[in-house]
Amino acid sequence: MQTSKQNWAECRLPSPLDRPSLKAHRRPNILAERKAQHEYWRRPSFFLLPQSNPASAGCCFNSNSDPRTKEKGKRRERVREREKRGKKQPRRSPLSHRLRTQIRMTGSMDLPAKGGFSYDLCRRNDFLEKKGLKVPGFLKTGTTIVGLVFQDGVVLGADTRATEGPIVADKNCEKIHFMAPNIYCCGAGTAADTEAVTDMVSSQLQLHRYATGRESRVVTALTLLKSHLFKYQGHVSAALVLGGVDVTGPHLHTVYPHGSTDTLPFATMGSGSLAAMSVFESQYKEGLTREEGIQLVSDAIRAGIFNDLGSGSNVDVCVITKGKTEYLRNHELPNPRTYVSSKGYSFTKGQTEVLSTKITKITQLKQKVEVAEGGDAMEE
Amino acid sequence: MAAAHACSSAAAAGEAPTTGEHRMGTTIVGVCYDGGVVLGADSRTSTGMYVANRASDKITQLTDNVYVCRSGSVSAHAIFKIEAFSLLFSHAVNEHGKGRAQFLGISSRFFFCPGRAYIDGWKKAADTQVISDYVRYFLHQHTIQLGQPATVKVASNLIRLLAYQNKNMLQAGMIVGGWDKYEGGQIFSVPLGGTILRQPFAIGGSGSSYLYALLDHEWKEGMSQEEAEKFVVKVVSLAMARDGASGGVVRTVTINADGVKRNFYPGDKLPLWHEEMEPQNSFLDILAARSPDPMVQ
C-alpha cells in the first residue's frame, strides 16, 4: 500500500499505520487498493514462501512477489519524479499523531532529561504579575493550638481539624507531635511542613540523646527548630508551640515560621489563636493545678473550635510533667455526629452479586528461628 | 523586639497572627551614667495588628558585661550569604587589639567559621535573634581565647560587621551597652546600615522618633544610677504612650563594675501622661463609676 510510511524491514507485519489514507484524490483507484489490501491480509504465502534469495533465508517474506513492495516502489518513483521536476516533497512524519504532538510540544520547552522541574513559565508568571494579576496565596490550614505552664509542668492542647481550603480534609487529625519522651510540639500552618520539621528535629534529638546519654532539653529542640526555619526564611510554613519538662524545669516556647521564638507562660498559635488567647488572658494564673490546667486548655481550644472556621472537631490534650507524659487523645468530643439514619444501614444477603469465588488455603506459619532466651546479645 | 507594623499588600489583620512575620517596632534606649550604663526597652512584639507577645525581652545578654537592645524595622528582600566569618571576626578583634599589648598570641584563624548562613531581610525579630546568637557565640570564643572578659567595643564591632556585610537583607537596629575595665560604661549604636557610633546616650526603634527632642532637652552628663534608671523608665513610657507598636512593660538592665541588675516595671506602675487613664480591671467599672461619657475625666 502506498500509504505505508516506512520500510522498517523486509519482514514486517501489518501495522495500524497501514490503514488507508483518507485523501481520496490521491488514490484514484480505491477499489483496486481495497482488493489488494484484502488480498494482502488473506495471503497465506506471507508465511510459506520458498526461500529463493539466501540473504533473506531467515525471513519468510519475499519482497519480490509482494504486491505491497511493488506499490512502494511506485511511490519511490513518484517521489523521484517530483524531485526532478523541482517540487518540494510533502512532509510526512513516520510517527503517530499523538507522538508528533508530544514532540512538537516538548520541542518548544526545556524539559530536563530525567524529569524534575521546568521553570519555563516563571517569566510568564512574572510578566502577568507585573500586569496586575493577583498571585494566588498559600492556603493556611486553620488550627487552634495552645500551651500553658502549670505548677508541675506543661499542658499542650490542639483541635483536630485539617482543612484544604473550605473543605475539611481530616476530621480527626493529630496536631500534637512527638519530639522526645519529655517534649511535645503542636504544629499550625502547612500540615506537611509541621510534620516534616517535627519529625526531622525529633530524629536529631534522638541521635543527640544517644550521643550524650542524657534526656533531651527543650532549648535543644528550640534551637534546632529555629535555625532550620530561619534558614528557609519563612518558606517552611510551620508555626509551633513547643513544650516540655527537662532537668532545668518546665518550658514553653512558640516558634514562628521565620525563625523567631518567644518564651511564655501561656501561648496560642493558629487561626484560632485570638479566640484561645482571650480565654487564657482572662483565666490564666500562676500555679494552676493539673485539673485546672487541663480544663483551661480545653476551654481555650473549644473557644477556637466554636469561633474559628478553620478549627473544629475534637480537643487533644497532652500533659507533660517530670518523668511522665500523658497524651490524652480526643480528651473532649464536643462535636458528636448527631445524625443517624432512623432505619440504619442494612445490607441483606443477595444485594451484592457474587461474580466469582476463589478459596485460598492459608498455611500456618511454622517457626523456623529458634530464639535463645537469656543469652547475651552482644558481648562488650 | 517589638515589631513595627508594616502591611504587605495582601495581609489582612486576621491573617497576620499566624502567617505574618514577627516584626519589631519598639522603643529601645541606652544611657551612660557615672559608673556604668542603663539599657531600657518596651516589651511588645506584633505580627500585623496582633500583639504576638506582650511581655517579650528585648535586651539580650552577649557576655557577662555586655548586653544588646534589639529592634527591627522595615525590611528589604534579598538572599545573601554570610561569608567566611572567621575573617571578619579577626578583623574586629584586631581593631581593638591595636592598642592592647596583651592581645593575640594565638592566630585568629583558629576561630571556627560559622558556616554559611542565609539571611533574608523579611523577618526582623528573627534577624535580631539570630544576630545576637551569632555574636554571643563569637564573643564566647573570643573570651576563651583572650583570657579576659570581652570589651564592649569588640562586641559592638561584631554586631556592626554582621549588620554591615548583610545590610541588603537585614533590618536590625541594635544598641550595645556594657561595662569594661578599660573604658568603663559605653554605649554603641549600630543602626540600620551598619554604622557604629559611640554615644553617651542612644535611642532606637519606631518609638524613638518621639524621643529625640526630649533627650536633647533633658539629657545631662554625670547622672547617678537612680537618676539614670528613672530617666530611662520615664523616657520609654513616654514613647509607649504615643507609639502604637510599643507597649507592655518596661525592662531595664543596669551594668556597672559590680555586675548586672535587671529590673521590671509593669505597665500599670508606669507614670501616666497626658490623657492617659488609670488602669482599670474592667471597662464596666469605668462606665459605672463615672459620668455618662467615660472618656471625660
Side-chain angles (χ1 to χ4, degrees), chain B residues 37-51:
Chain B
V37 297
V38 179
L39 298 172
D42 74 307
S43 70
R44 181 174 287 184
T45 321
S46 47
T47 50
M49 283 293 190
Y50 178 66
V51 176

Side-chain angles (χ1 to χ4, degrees), chain A residues 30-234:
Chain A
I30 294 176
L31 197 59
E33 258 183 64
R34 285 262 182 259
K35 216 172 159 201
Q37 190 182 10
H38 186 66
E39 287 291 285
Y40 179 74
W41 284 104
R42 285 190 64 240
R43 202 173 39 129
S45 55
F46 177 78
F47 301 102
L48 301 172
L49 280 175
Q51 301 299 324
S52 49
N53 183 0
S56 61
C59 162
C60 54
F61 176 65
N62 190 340
S63 57
N64 290 332
S65 57
D66 184 16
R68 287 186 73 230
T69 316
K70 286 210 184 82
E71 285 170 7
K72 191 159 246 149
K74 282 190 207 137
R75 179 165 174 266
R76 287 218 190 84
E77 279 172 25
R78 264 187 279 115
V79 164
R80 268 184 242 117
E81 264 166 357
R82 274 181 77 101
E83 277 173 353
K84 259 195 280 175
R85 276 182 282 149
K87 286 209 173 153
K88 220 170 53 136
Q89 301 307 322
R91 222 161 17 107
R92 296 277 174 99
S93 165
L95 306 166
S96 74
H97 174 73
R98 188 191 295 168
L99 198 50
R100 263 182 277 150
T101 316
Q102 271 182 4
I103 290 172
R104 197 181 341 120
M105 285 190 69
T106 58
S108 61
M109 290 206 280
D110 231 338
L111 278 182
K114 283 199 173 113
F117 293 121
S118 163
Y119 294 97
D120 294 303
L121 293 174
C122 288
R123 270 208 288 171
R124 165 194 172 264
N125 293 342
D126 280 338
F127 170 74
L128 285 173
E129 223 178 317
K130 281 197 197 79
K131 287 287 177 183
L133 178 76
K134 192 165 174 296
V135 180
F138 289 102
L139 290 176
K140 256 192 314 108
T141 58
T143 302
T144 310
I145 50 173
V146 304
L148 62 73
V149 176
F150 71 106
Q151 67 188 22
D152 302 325
V154 163
V155 183
L156 300 172
D159 74 306
T160 61
R161 174 182 285 184
T163 52
E164 246 178 274
I167 303 167
V168 175
D170 189 348
K171 286 181 275 196
N172 204 5
C173 72
E174 288 190 21
K175 300 191 189 181
I176 307 187
H177 308 288
F178 173 87
M179 293 283 245
N182 58 322
I183 306 173
Y184 273 72
C185 184
C186 308
T190 308
D193 286 340
T194 57
E195 281 281 347
V197 103
T198 48
D199 271 352
M200 186 192 81
V201 172
S202 163
S203 312
Q204 290 177 343
L205 284 177
Q206 189 166 36
L207 289 170
H208 193 250
R209 277 203 293 285
Y210 288 140
T212 57
R214 290 173 168 77
E215 192 185 54
S216 298
R217 300 194 187 190
V218 184
V219 285
T220 317
L222 183 72
T223 311
L224 290 167
L225 284 166
K226 104 190 329 221
S227 34
H228 182 80
L229 291 173
F230 184 75
K231 197 168 68 173
Y232 285 90
Q233 293 294 302

Side-chain angles (χ1 to χ4, degrees), chain A residues 2 14 100 257 271 273 324 333:
Chain A
Q2 70 191 31
R100 263 182 277 150
S271 57
S273 63
K324 184 162 152 222
L333 296 113

Side-chain angles (χ1 to χ4, degrees), chain A residues 233 256 258 261-262 270 281, chain B residues 18-19 22 54 120 123 129:
Chain A
Q233 293 294 302
Y256 286 82
H258 288 271
T261 60
D262 283 318
E281 286 283 18
Chain B
T18 39
T19 57
H22 228 41
R54 60 177 165 87
D120 181 350
K123 346 103 299 356
Q129 283 184 359

